[in-house]
Amino acid sequence: MMKRKALMTLGIVLLLFCFWYFHLRVYRENKLIDEGNVIVKKIENFKNKNNRLPQSLEEIGMKEKEGANVLDYNIDRDGINYRISFIMSIDHSKIYYSDSKKWEDYYRDMRTASDTLE
């Protein structure tokens, strides 16, 4: 009987831990996507006003961050499109692509046919 109670308690604790972990993960992902959407709006406003993409986030008034909740900004080779990304885990990232205006789960292969010949 004692063993059964201990296993039940352990199961409940494990279940609560899993719920807590996944809840925080979803909360973090949603929070970073919201921050990314703010950056997207600032980039688009900058682009409309200056007819070019900002060279860095600092150019749109955003400070570069360090740590786990970093949003990375990259301009594509074409100079027209850009990406905002953050890492969720070792094998999972979220990336906003300006050409599709969508958040995606994986990096695209951004090379063109001419890039592969180099």
Side-chain angles (χ1 to χ4, degrees):
M1 187 69 170
M2 246 350 219
K3 190 175 182 180
R4 186 174 175 169
K5 247 185 182 179
L7 283 174
M8 187 77 118
T9 303
L10 181 63
I12 290 171
V13 168
L14 186 61
L15 186 66
L16 288 173
F17 175 77
C18 289
F19 175 76
W20 171 77
Y21 174 78
F22 288 111
H23 175 72
L24 286 181
R25 184 178 172 137
V26 169
Y27 171 78
R28 180 177 173 264
E29 182 174 342
N30 289 337
K31 181 178 179 269
L32 288 170
I33 286 173
D34 289 344
E35 287 179 26
N37 289 334
V38 168
I39 292 172
V40 167
K41 286 178 185 175
K42 288 185 177 200
I43 291 170
E44 291 298 327
N45 288 338
F46 182 94
K47 185 178 171 183
N48 290 334
K49 184 178 179 181
N50 299 292
N51 294 319
R52 67 175 178 87
L53 291 172
Q55 294 301 308
S56 69
L57 293 179
E58 290 175 354
E59 199 170 358
I60 60 170
M62 304 289 294
K63 290 185 178 180
E64 296 287 336
K65 292 182 183 178
E66 292 183 16
N69 294 326
V70 174
L71 289 158
D72 193 29
Y73 167 66
N74 293 293
I75 299 172
D76 293 344
R77 284 186 174 188
D78 62 12
I80 298 168
N81 295 301
Y82 60 91
R83 290 167 281 152
I84 305 287
S85 62
F86 61 90
I87 297 172
M88 286 299 297
S89 65
I90 292 173
D91 61 344
H92 180 75
S93 297
K94 291 297 270 189
I95 307 96
Y96 175 85
Y97 291 98
S98 64
D99 61 349
S100 67
K101 300 192 182 323
K102 292 182 181 178
W103 286 94
E104 299 180 20
D105 289 325
Y106 299 99
Y107 284 102
R108 294 183 199 159
D109 186 2
M110 302 305 286
R111 294 176 295 167
T112 63
S114 62
D115 293 335
T116 57
L117 297 175
E118 295 175 0

